[in-house]
Amino acid sequence: MSLLAAATVCCVLPAALILGLWLFYDRRDHARFERERRKTTFYCVRCGKIYARRGLRDEFPCPACGHKNQRLRF
Ligand SMILES: [Zn+2]
């Protein structure tokens, strides 16, 4: 094996591995952050309270009266 080929194997393979792992964890963390950041807002039709919950939900009971409300759509 020539010196150039050995150098290529020793430098490019670890670099590609690290780049791959970096991209993988970066995408995973970004997806988790987006999920945490997103809040769903609800308006209670029974008592008029506005409340929010983390994550994407279509229906959540009101913390004040327990009435199940659909999420607000803008
Ligand atoms: Zn309510």
Side-chain angles (χ1 to χ4, degrees), residues 3 5 9 39 46 52 55 67 71-72:
L3 192 65
V9 168
K39 278 189 175 178
R46 188 187 281 171
H67 182 75
R71 72 182 170 97
L72 282 178

Side-chain angles (χ1 to χ4, degrees), residues 37-48:
R37 193 179 63 98
R38 244 172 249 267
K39 278 189 175 178
T40 311
T41 310
F42 299 90
Y43 173 72
C44 182
V45 292
R46 188 187 281 171
C47 67

